Amino acid sequence: QVQFVESGGGLVQPGGSLRLSCAASGSSFRILAMGWHRQAPGKQRELVAAITNGGSTNYADSVKGRFTISRDNAKNTVYLQMNNLKPEDTAVYYCNAGVFSRATMSSGDYWGQGTQVTVSS
């Protein structure tokens, strides 16, 4: 069984920065693509950024130039550096990853528990 634990959310003023982390724990697994999604009140969950095993990235248009996704494969961890935050970035942020289990020889989609990011003065 693989678990993902997120950290780094909080309250920040407009123009400020936060760094989110999401670490996977467990045994006999390999992380495939990883990403961050967010869900604001009354809105659908949306993809914010994603990164492949090889480091290729893609971003939602609304965060390009402000957010940076990265990963540390040795630590099974994905990061989201968020700069120049805006009130419209307020949401619960969820990490997501494709995981291949060596025990079952199958792949699955896993989610973190979510971390609140609030941008307000």
Side-chain angles (χ1 to χ4, degrees):
Q1 185 73 10
V2 180
Q3 291 186 326
F4 287 82
V5 177
E6 302 178 22
S7 61
L11 172 65
V12 64
Q13 292 186 342
S17 298
L18 283 175
R19 189 191 193 210
L20 305 183
S21 300
C22 178
S25 62
S27 61
S28 300
F29 67 92
R30 181 166 63 92
I31 305 295
L32 308 173
M34 307 181 82
W36 289 92
H37 293 68
R38 67 186 180 187
Q39 187 166 19
K43 295 187 177 181
Q44 289 187 334
R45 190 173 296 189
E46 62 173 355
L47 174 67
V48 175
I51 185 167
T52 66
N53 260 349
S56 297
T57 59
N58 67 283
Y59 297 90
D61 287 342
S62 59
V63 307
K64 283 181 181 177
R66 300 187 298 122
F67 290 11
T68 302
I69 188 171
S70 61
R71 64 190 287 172
D72 184 333
N73 291 331
K75 296 181 179 179
N76 290 319
T77 300
V78 63
Y79 305 96
L80 186 68
Q81 177 66 44
M82 305 184 292
N83 298 327
N84 190 21
L85 282 159
K86 303 176 180 180
E88 52 263 41
D89 295 318
T90 295
V92 178
Y93 284 71
Y94 299 89
C95 70
N96 162 254
V99 178
F100 176 78
S101 168
R102 297 188 182 94
T104 63
M105 297 301 288
S106 63
S107 298
D109 204 31
Y110 287 77
W111 292 84
Q113 80 282 5
T115 185
Q116 177 69 47
V117 171
T118 302
V119 185
S120 175
S121 55

